[in-house]
Structures are given as structure tokens and as C-alpha cells.
Amino acid sequence: MRLFVNEPVERTDPPYARRWWALAVLCLSLLMILMANTALTVAAPAMTHDLGLSSTDLQWVIDGYTVPYSALMLLFAAIGDKYSRRGALVLGLVLFAIGAISGSLVDSAAGVITARAVMGVGAALIMPATLSLLVATFPRAERTKAITLWSATAGFAIAAGPLVAGILLKDQSWQSTFLINIPVIVLAIVGAFMLIPPSKAAQMDRIDYVGGFLSVVWISALIFTLIEAPHGWGTGAVIGAVVTGVGLAAFIVWELRHPYPLLNLRRFADRGFTGANIAVVLFYLVVFGAFFYLTQHLQFVLRFDAFETGLAMLPLAGAVFVGSALTGYLTPRLGMRSMILAGMVGGTVALALLIQVDKASSYGDFVAPLFILGLSIGLALSPCTDAIVGAFPEEELGVGSAVNDTSTELGGAIGIAILGSLLSTSYASNLSDAAAGTELPADVLSQAQESVGAGYATAEAVGEQARKLAEEAANAGNAEQAAQLNAQAEELAHAAHRMADAVSSSFADSVSHTSLVGAVILGVGTLAVAFLLPRKGRATPPDAETSAEAGTSAAADESRPELTHPEQR
């Protein structure tokens, strides 16, 4: 047996013998690029302290990865389909490594943002390649099981990132969260050449680079707008919104008229395909939004350190695997529609349970919502992915994967923008009401309203002033001066305590309010998806009808298992 696999998967005797080992490499690559963002939520405080990051700097450290990652996937997926899916994976891993090494060496905000952007470009190559290689490598009978494991890995990464970062940060600096990727990348690159057979589209027309450029423009502008709009509709947000609208309109017109479009938009006439995409967007909207504020609640209100926060998210990670195991068993029996809707209903219930959160809530109050949310992820995402990718023919597997992945990233970005903005607004309003009797100066209150971390920092600053006055009182020259200083110290200490209590109650109430909105969004979305998803089977995708009219034989259709609906497998 050769050390490196050079025979294209299309020429190997089906099924490819080492396909499950190949899946392990693909899942490892997927896990790494998804953990790159979730781990940063835990490493952010240390980075902020060491690099002196402003809140805007920190936001762009996170979003510098998200923008190229989301915007480039469609174009890079098409390039991978035409030339080499494995080549796209390996190139992406190399770029990701360059960005990770650079990120560990730089000592400025601009340097970290640039490094994260390079990692995002690498991730845009890796993400669609993992799924398209999976579909190309596995026979139809095993593909649903493989996609289930792939989806479980994606869900697990949400909780694994903070846990890994927490373990590293106990003894290491934040740079370790970048460097931990390097041995994983080396292992993935070696595994790619040894275990994953080359794959590309057998027949593919020239790449629609104009459509690719327009997709990059409108998606990146949309993500930029989502980042800027929560801070107010200034010049940047308005320009971003205009570019998004114009770019999207131009993309739609171009794709509908182009003979070989980057993305055949007529596929969205298929209700099952559209419903599955909407489900993915909505699910990741609430999952990433909830993850954003739950990690803050654990760290700031419950005072968990980085490692404890990672451990606290394990019920979600474990439940993802339970849900994935169930969906692998139940989907062939109950159908794609039932599993997707069950997951969305479960996600709605999980968010509804979080409405009960208040300042007295303990970690035990979060266990059930986390478990139900993880279970729901496991139930819904694999059938959604199978339905989306299954709508594309073999020569467009990468594009089909990119559509699924773009829906994921857009959902996460929208969730953090909408639910994060709502959380911030609600917290500021609640804190203003709660601190009404503390007689805090307006500038101090304004600073505390910026974030829950800033609120506690303000309370600690007031407490520090109280401690200093108490020390001065102990060293005072006469009893009268000591008494005055002690009285001032006691007043400030009391104010610090009330301030900290106000921050806790205000943030807990904002978590409750934001969870209510999230539950309503997902609940209404569930009804819309229930209307869109077909009860039995699925209508033939528009492009399939066109192929049939062009004289494509039934035998050829049978050789394209990707066009077969999951319920028919």
C-alpha cells in the first residue's frame, strides 16, 4: 500500500477503503477552524490586558477572522471543485498555520487583526473542502452517517474551544491559543496526503469569477454592517448597508443571467433547500448569540475562571453527540423534516428556560438549557447539511458545501449582532434604573454601562478608593480626622457593593430579556421552516429538470447520489 494517496477518488474501487480515517482528518481540520473563534472568547481578557486593546480593537480581532472566512467561501469552493478539493484543504491549512504563527509573535492590535485575517482566508479554503471531500469520498449508503459525525464535530467545537483555551491559560499566555494549532495542522496535512484521495469535478465549466467577486463584496459588506450597526448608524454602517444592497442586487442579476453561474439561484425555488438554509441560519443565530452572553454570565456574574467556563459548557458538547447519535437512528425512520423541526423546537425550549435567569441563579439553572440546546444542535444540523449539499450535482460539491457553511457563518454573525446589541442595550437600561439611588457621577455610570466587565471594573475601582481611605484613617493624626475618613470609606464601600449588585442584577435581567427575544425568533422561524419543508420527498431541483430536458439519462441521474434526498436514501 502506498504511503501517499494519489489515485483520484473517482477511480478507486468503491467504497474507498480508508474513508473513515479520511473523515477523522476532515473532522480534525473542521474542529480547529471552528475553535479559533470560540477559544478567543476566553483568551480575550488576557489579550486585552497585554496588548492594551480597546473594545473596537477586540471586536476586530474577532471579526477580522469572520469577514474573510464568510465572504470567500463560495469563490474558493468553486476553485476547489474545478482544480483540487484536497489541494484547497492543504493550502488552507498552510495559510492557517502562517496566520497562527504570526498571531503568536506580534505585539500590537493591528498585527493580531492581520494574523487573524490570514487565518480567516485559510478557513475559507478549509471549511467547504472538508464537506465536499466527505461527500465525494463516501458512498451514498454511508454518507448520512459521515455527515452526522461532521455536524457533531461542528457542534462540539462550540464548547471545546473555551475548554481548551481555559486549560492552556491556566499556565500559559494567550499566545498558546494560537500555537496549539500548529501540531494539529501538521497532523492534518500529513493525514490529508496519506488518507484523503484527490478529488475534483469530473466536468465543470469555467469559473464565474465576476459572480465570485460580487459574492465577496456583498457578503463582506453585510458582515461589516452587522458589526458596525449595533454601535449606531454612522457613516461606516450606512455605507456598508448600501454596498450590501447594491452588491446583492448585482449578484442576483448576474447569476440569473450567466450561463454558468457560481451559484444557481433557481435552486432556492426548491422549498426543501430553502427551508434547510433558513433553519441553519436561524439555529446558528440563536446558538452563537446565546453562547456570546452565557459565557459572559459565567465569567462575570458567577465568577468562573477560563477553565471553569470551559468545563461549564461540557453539557452542551456532550448533548451534541447524544443528539447526533439519535438523528442517525431516527432520520431514516421519521424523515428529515421531523428531525429539523424537533431540533428547532428544542432550541426554542432551551432559550425559553433561560428567561428565568436572575441574579440569584446558580450554575445548576443553566445545565438543563445547555443540554437541551446541545441535543437540539445534534438533532437538526446533520439533516439540514444533508439536504443542502444533496441539492448539488457532483461537479458543484464544493459550492454546495460553501452554501451550507456560509449560512452557518451568516447566522452566527447575525446572532451576535442582533442578540449582542439587544443584550448591551438592555443591560445599559437596566443598570441606569438599578443605579438610580447610588448617586454615581454620570461619567462613572456611563463607563459602567459599556459592558458587564466595565461595570464590575467600576465597582472595584470604587471599592479600591474605599480601601485607600480606610488605610488613611488608620494612619490619621487625630481621632476626628480618622472618623471622617472611616465614614467616607464606609460610604464608598457600601456604594461599591450596591454597584456590583446592580451590575449583577442588570446583566442577569438582560440575559433573560435577550433569551426571550431569541426564543421568539427561533419559534417563529420554526413555523416558517415547517411550512417550507416538504412532508414527503422533495421536489426535483430546478437544475435537475434542466439537465433532464437537455437529455440527461436516468442512469446518469442514478450515478449522482448527491441529488437524492436524505429521506429517499
Side-chain angles (χ1 to χ4, degrees):
M1 183 177 293
R2 293 180 178 178
L3 183 61
F4 295 115
V5 182
N6 295 317
E7 187 76 9
V9 68
E10 297 84 3
R11 299 178 188 173
T12 58
D13 293 331
Y16 170 61
R18 292 188 283 180
R19 59 196 180 280
W20 294 105
W21 286 105
L23 178 63
V25 176
L26 297 175
C27 287
L28 183 66
S29 303
L30 175 70
L31 182 68
M32 179 187 63
I33 61 174
L34 292 180
M35 284 174 53
N37 253 356
T38 57
L40 196 64
T41 59
V42 174
M47 292 179 66
T48 301
H49 179 268
D50 288 354
L51 300 177
L53 301 178
S54 66
S55 58
T56 302
D57 290 336
L58 181 59
Q59 183 174 20
W60 277 107
V61 166
I62 297 172
D63 294 323
Y65 180 82
T66 303
V67 173
Y69 181 17
S70 304
L72 292 169
M73 274 195 288
L74 273 176
L75 179 58
F76 283 178
I79 293 173
D81 277 341
K82 185 169 181 61
Y83 297 107
S84 174
R85 292 164 184 148
R86 188 177 72 173
L89 173 66
V90 172
L91 177 59
L93 290 168
V94 171
L95 286 175
F96 200 90
I98 292 172
I101 294 172
S102 301
S104 69
L105 297 176
V106 296
D107 58 359
S108 66
V112 175
I113 293 170
T114 302
R116 290 271 298 169
V118 173
M119 293 171 70
V121 174
L125 283 161
I126 296 169
M127 184 76 166
T130 61
L131 189 52
S132 60
L133 283 166
L134 181 157
V135 176
T137 303
F138 278 82
R140 183 173 63 186
E142 297 177 342
R143 193 170 299 137
T144 298
K145 183 185 296 184
I147 288 178
T148 297
L149 291 173
W150 184 91
S151 299
T153 301
F156 177 75
I158 296 174
L163 179 59
V164 172
I167 293 172
L168 291 172
L169 292 173
K170 285 179 70 71
D171 302 308
Q172 306 293 328
S173 67
W174 59 265
Q175 286 91 341
S176 62
T177 60
F178 283 83
L179 292 176
I180 190 64
N181 294 300
I182 304 306
V184 179
I185 291 170
V186 172
L187 184 62
I189 291 175
V190 173
F193 285 114
M194 293 181 62
L195 299 169
I196 302 174
S199 171
K200 65 178 181 178
Q203 293 180 346
M204 184 176 178
D205 297 300
R206 63 183 183 274
I207 296 175
D208 173 20
Y209 284 106
V210 173
F213 171 76
L214 292 173
S215 73
V216 171
V217 169
W218 81 261
I219 293 174
S220 57
L222 174 60
I223 300 294
F224 177 82
T225 304
L226 291 172
I227 293 168
E228 292 295 317
H231 302 291
W233 284 94
T235 303
V238 172
I239 292 175
V242 171
V243 174
T244 300
V246 174
L248 177 58
F251 176 74
I252 292 172
V253 171
W254 178 267
E255 294 299 279
L256 290 176
R257 295 187 175 187
H258 198 279
Y260 308 109
L262 180 75
L263 173 61
N264 186 351
L265 297 178
R266 292 178 177 84
R267 282 197 179 86
F268 287 94
D270 175 13
R271 290 170 53 183
F273 177 75
T274 300
N277 274 287
I278 292 174
V280 169
V281 170
L282 290 175
F283 222 100
Y284 274 96
L285 185 156
V286 298
V287 167
F288 273 77
F291 186 84
F292 176 75
Y293 59 75
L294 287 179
T295 51
Q296 291 187 67
H297 191 95
L298 292 173
Q299 289 180 292
F300 290 108
V301 179
L302 297 186
R303 298 295 184 176
F304 284 17
D305 62 23
F307 178 64
E308 290 169 336
T309 300
L311 286 178
M313 300 302 289
L314 283 181
L316 185 148
V320 169
F321 282 103
V322 174
S324 298
L326 287 174
T327 198
Y329 174 79
L330 295 175
T331 300
R333 293 162 176 79
L334 301 180
M336 174 198 72
R337 181 178 187 271
S338 298
M339 301 310 299
I340 293 175
L341 294 179
M344 295 185 76
V345 169
T348 305
V349 170
L351 289 174
L353 290 175
L354 291 172
I355 298 172
Q356 305 174 55
V357 170
D358 57 31
K359 68 176 183 179
S361 296
S362 65
Y363 172 65
D365 297 309
F366 293 89
V367 173
L370 286 172
F371 184 84
I372 295 173
L373 187 59
L375 185 68
S376 303
I377 292 171
L379 289 175
L381 293 187
S382 175
C384 285
T385 300
D386 210 359
I388 293 169
V389 178
F392 289 81
E394 185 275 337
E395 61 267 21
E396 298 179 23
L397 288 180
V399 174
S401 304
V403 170
N404 177 80
D405 302 334
T406 301
S407 295
T408 297
E409 286 302 304
L410 287 179
I414 294 170
I416 292 175
I418 294 178
L419 297 186
S421 177
L422 178 64
L423 179 81
S424 178
T425 303
S426 177
Y427 164 73
S429 176
N430 291 338
L431 184 60
S432 178
D433 294 339
T438 61
E439 299 182 355
L440 284 173
D443 59 334
V444 174
L445 178 59
S446 177
Q447 182 179 357
Q449 287 175 311
E450 289 183 3
S451 68
V452 61
Y456 280 116
T458 300
E460 290 174 2
V462 175
E464 182 63 25
Q465 292 178 21
R467 284 188 290 273
K468 289 180 178 179
L469 286 175
E471 291 175 1
E472 291 180 16
N475 298 321
N478 58 70
E480 182 179 354
Q481 183 182 13
Q484 291 177 347
L485 290 172
N486 275 323
Q488 293 177 13
E490 289 178 6
E491 184 178 351
L492 283 176
H494 184 57
H497 177 75
R498 285 189 297 167
M499 184 65 187
D501 187 63
V503 170
S504 297
S505 61
S506 298
F507 191 78
D509 290 344
S510 67
V511 167
S512 174
H513 180 233
T514 306
S515 297
L516 172 62
V517 174
V520 171
I521 291 173
L522 190 56
V524 173
T526 302
L527 296 177
V529 171
F531 172 76
L532 287 171
L533 292 179
R535 294 183 179 276
K536 292 184 179 180
R538 184 178 68 184
T540 304
D543 65 311
E545 294 176 359
T546 303
S547 297
E549 292 172 2
T552 304
S553 66
D557 288 338
E558 285 295 322
S559 70
R560 291 184 178 180
E562 292 80 12
L563 293 176
T564 305
H565 191 275
E567 292 181 19
Q568 298 171 333
R569 295 174 185 170

